[in-house]
């Protein structure tokens, strides 16, 4: 059970780090494009908007059915770097073997995964929940020893 928990926890924590870093870079680039529009960026935005209108027309939806909310890039970037940091803590907590306090490091990973699932929201929740399951498996296996 401990080995399975380490595998599940480390895979999803590593995947979560990659997703968070990708989201952080994409948010920074999109915020820069929004704040400093040039002709190429405006052309890409207009192209994507016309593509979206074509998709909506194909699906027989009008714009009132689709929410066009402004993306809060700073909030997204904050969630991304906090998520990457928490996934790093989860990865270390699951993979470290401390002989004296064998339940302390998985407990930190469990708390980090739970806090990340609550703080970072829906975008990263699946990865945090899967890392939480792996961390719990390691914690339970260490408690039985």
């Amino acid at each position: 059970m401990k080995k399975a928990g380490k595998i599940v926890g480390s895979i999803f924590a590593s995947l979560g780090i990659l997703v968070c870093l990708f989201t952080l870079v994409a948010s920074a680039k999109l915020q820069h494009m929004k704040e400093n529009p040039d002709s190429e960026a405006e052309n890409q935005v207009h192209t994507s908007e016309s593509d979206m209108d074509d998709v909506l027309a194909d699906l027989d939806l009008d714009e009132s059915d689709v929410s066009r909310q402004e993306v809060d890039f700073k909030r997204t970037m904050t969630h991304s770097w906090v998520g990457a940091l928490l996934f790093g803590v989860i990865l270390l907590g699951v993979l470290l073997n401390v002989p004296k306090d064998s339940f302390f490091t998985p407990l930190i990973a469990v708390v980090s995964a739970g806090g990340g699932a609550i703080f970072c929201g829906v975008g990263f929740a699946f990865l945090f929940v899967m890392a939480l399951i792996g961390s719990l498996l390691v914690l339970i296996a260490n408690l039985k020893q």
Side-chain angles (χ1 to χ4, degrees), residues 103-140:
F103 99 29
F104 187 66
T105 52
L107 182 65
I108 292 173
V110 167
V111 170
S112 297
I118 292 169
F119 177 76
C120 292
V122 177
F124 304 118
F126 173 74
L127 295 171
F128 274 114
V129 169
M130 295 307 291
L132 176 67
I133 291 171
S135 302
L136 282 172
L137 287 174
V138 173
L139 181 67
I140 292 170

Side-chain angles (χ1 to χ4, degrees), residues 57-116:
D58 291 342
L59 295 174
D60 292 330
L61 297 174
D62 58 353
E63 288 187 24
S64 64
D65 292 340
V66 178
S67 64
R68 291 188 176 232
Q69 298 177 355
E70 282 291 318
V71 178
D72 187 5
F73 292 111
K74 291 187 187 221
R75 189 176 117 207
T76 304
M77 288 192 295
T78 302
H79 286 189
S80 296
W81 72 263
V82 169
L85 182 67
L86 289 174
F87 277 122
V89 169
I90 294 167
L91 187 62
L92 287 175
V94 169
L95 293 179
L96 280 179
N97 286 328
V98 180
K100 289 184 180 178
D101 294 327
S102 61
F103 99 29
F104 187 66
T105 52
L107 182 65
I108 292 173
V110 167
V111 170
S112 297

Side-chain angles (χ1 to χ4, degrees), residues 3 6 8 10 14 16 18 22 27 31 39 44 49 51-53 58 83 90 93-94 98 101 119 124 135 140:
K3 210 179 251 190
K6 284 188 176 204
V8 169
S10 62
S14 301
L18 292 175
F22 175 76
S27 295
Q31 182 181 16
S39 61
Q44 288 177 354
E49 285 178 353
D51 290 343
M52 175 69 102
D53 292 338
D58 291 342
I90 294 167
V94 169
V98 180
D101 294 327
F119 177 76
F124 304 118
S135 302
I140 292 170

